Amino acid sequence: MKFTDGYWQLLPGVTELRPRQVDDVVAGEDTLTVYASTAPIVRRGDTLNRPLVTVTLHSPMDGVVGVTIEHFQGGLDRGPRFELHRSVGDVKITTPQLTGEPVATLRSGSLEARVATEGDWSVEFVADGRVLTSSMARSVGVLTDAAGRHYVREQLTLGVGEHVYGLGERFGSLVKNGQTVDIWNADGGTASDQAYKNVPFYLSDAGYGVFVDQPERVSFEIGTEVVSRAQFSVEGQSLTYFVIAGPTPKDVLRRYTALTGRPARVPDWSYGLWLSTSFTTSYDEATVTHFVDGMAERDLPLSVFHFDCFWMRRFHWSDFIWDPGTFPDPEGMLRRLKDRGLRICVWINPYIAQRSVLFAEGMDLGYLVKNPDGSVWQWNLWQAGMGLVDFTNPDAVAWYQGKLRVLLDQGVDCFKTDFGERIPTDVVWHDGSDPQRMHNYYTHLYNRCVFDLLEAERGPGEAVLFARSATAGGQQFPVHWGGDCESTFVSMAESLRGGLSLALSGFGFWSHDIGGFEGAPDAAVFKRWLPFGLLSSHSRLHGSDSYRVPWAFDDEAVDVTRRFTRLKMSLMPYLSQAGRVAHEEGLPVMRPMVLEFPDDRGAATVDTQYMLGESLLVAPVFSAAGDVDVYVPDGTWTSLLSGEQVTGPRWVRERHGFDSVPLYVRPGTVLPVGAHHDRPDRDHADGVTLLLVELPDGHRSTLRVPSGAGEAVFDVRREGGTVRVRATGAPGAWAVQVHGRERHDVPAGTAHVEVPA
């Protein structure tokens, strides 16, 4: 939200209090509290009728410093609050009384906040002797607008050439400089400044991140209120934010996800191809069987079949009852599908239509969100007379989970948790939560409810969602998909930008609707989207009012689907390990170029390609003709598809057929390629080939390949003209291949092999 008219003047009707002079600092056991007057104190009488701004520094974990700015402290904290995983280490505090210097400090790990106790207001955030960002004399504000609403604002400095990323899933430019962003979940598609997944966290390539610990609407002005500052503000009397140290973007994400939660492990079967009925299309068991048969007849590997909304009766969403006129034998149908090796996903949401049997039940039990007068909140958007499950009520959570458990018992494996964005703010929650804060936070409770059920019923590592909405911490409940995009090349590109932005907001797994959701893509769009979709962490064929089976487009679409689905299956030893890194370290499977190459100025603004894991560069083709520009970082990169090589750093223009895409292997890579092309959940180490690509002399690396309940470990060393590989825990035969040379098959039980480099 903007408060100023230019740099010098406030907007009409806006008043502002700013900290002008530090009056006192008080060191607690692990906090530093600063009391700042809003005007200079020259004599004792100046303390009368003089507001104070209270700023408290604290730390939830090493390398993270929190700042709480307060005006009045007497308000009610009704919640909700983000669930933070605190692990405070060694916090060191100094004050002028101890040092004799006009500065007070709080240090946590490598990060130190320095508050000037004399002169203008100044807080510097310093790591390894370098100032990362600062709060300056005109940064902090306690403001009142013309309508009497109160706000607290902070502005942190931006350096020359500094780029800001993140703030959730945003479909505009990956770099957020020059953008105004409101953190407010909305069901707005992928073509506007609204987003399904809003996260009050940004990452700077200057070596730090900022997380605003406020679940309600947070307004960000990234260089738009003051060009040299990132501003954020909330309505109310207080604001809490955390500065998170790097030094690299990966380090920032590791700390941020340690604080807000790491993604759960996802099952290997979820990496395979998902096929949907699509949304408003006509389908029954015969249709579903026809689709599944068609995939098998065309040798198209399929892992998950998804039933969208109309598996339930119209006007009854959500009652979780199969439409008896369309699916008279759901248990038998699911058994028949699962006998073919398929997993089953069904669409759900937390909106309960008035005609649903669950509406009257939920109303009688008090499980639906209420109006202030005690009546059930209702409206007609989406479903006639719908209400909303109140997930702040533990009994309502158990009730909702009980309905879903019936579906799991029938054979369902996972849920598409759609919606959760249009949450009213004029309602009363069971636990007394602030409605403004619950608007964004509702999706967290919704997805956690479903994910917890899946983990309880299927076990850790077997739970997976296909979720649309999220906020900070939602990365703990994967997978998320990009929402309702159009079926065009432009929308394909905006979907990618949304996914990359989400990746820099702490989310490890991401997907999108191959071919687009709205409308029917022409064959060229569909065929170009296929490699992009199948070289994403998760891959789904889904549309709105038209089917997405490949043969509905042309024979070439079938061939492209087969080629890239089989390719993805062969990359499962690599992708499964990338998923493990997402779970253990918080680093996404699909990575913006800046995350892997933070010191490469050429990579800072690239948002038309990405790294799949740390070693594969993917550049989707956004044109029918096949022309594509690829940014190649330093070194000699090798095409995984053709074997051709290109040396960077530079931009390269290429032309690709529908059966190809720029897919380059990073120099210095040991790429594990699987022996299986039919499904994603086999033993990845059995028969694996280690593809050695441009290993420099002196290369040393350790590769972990998931294998059953354990893993196979391969130690790779190059010394001069020889590469030595030592295997531990390999379950069978394996192979080594230096790029462009013969393959060396290694018999089962062999623990060591040497090959020419």
Side-chain angles (χ1 to χ4, degrees), residues 111 184 192 274 280 625 662 693:
L111 183 62
W184 193 251
S192 74
W274 299 44
T280 61
V693 183

Side-chain angles (χ1 to χ4, degrees), residues 250 254 257 262-263 265 271 508-509 574-589 591 613-614 704:
K250 286 184 178 180
R254 289 185 181 104
T257 55
R262 296 262 166 84
R265 287 189 296 119
Y271 289 92
F509 304 93
Y574 173 76
L575 292 174
S576 184
Q577 174 59 14
R580 181 179 300 204
V581 171
H583 168 61
E584 294 177 351
E585 300 184 38
L587 302 180
V589 174
R591 304 178 183 181
E614 67 177 3
R704 301 163 62 193

Side-chain angles (χ1 to χ4, degrees), residues 269-315:
W269 57 259
S270 71
Y271 289 92
L273 182 59
W274 299 44
L275 176 62
S276 166
T277 59
S278 291
F279 172 29
T280 61
T281 52
S282 177
Y283 59 87
D284 53 16
E285 183 176 356
T287 310
V288 172
T289 302
H290 170 69
F291 287 168
V292 173
D293 287 343
M295 297 291 283
E297 290 164 2
R298 293 166 176 84
D299 192 23
L300 301 176
L302 183 63
S303 297
V304 182
F305 194 87
H306 168 70
F307 292 85
D308 217 55
C309 314
F310 282 95
W311 68 272
M312 293 179 281
R313 294 166 292 175
R314 62 188 182 188
F315 291 116

Side-chain angles (χ1 to χ4, degrees), residues 585-608:
E585 300 184 38
L587 302 180
V589 174
M590 298 172 69
R591 304 178 183 181
M593 299 299 290
V594 68
L595 191 61
E596 282 296 325
F597 305 97
D599 297 324
D600 184 345
R601 291 290 296 267
T605 61
V606 176
D607 57 13
T608 52

Side-chain angles (χ1 to χ4, degrees), residues 430-443:
H430 171 80
D431 71 348
S433 284
D434 183 332
Q436 292 290 330
R437 292 188 169 199
M438 273 301 299
H439 173 86
N440 289 336
Y441 198 73
Y442 182 85
T443 177

Side-chain angles (χ1 to χ4, degrees), residues 509-526:
F509 304 93
W510 176 76
S511 188
H512 45 98
D513 292 339
I514 296 175
F517 176 73
E518 296 288 355
D522 63 30
V525 169
F526 183 73

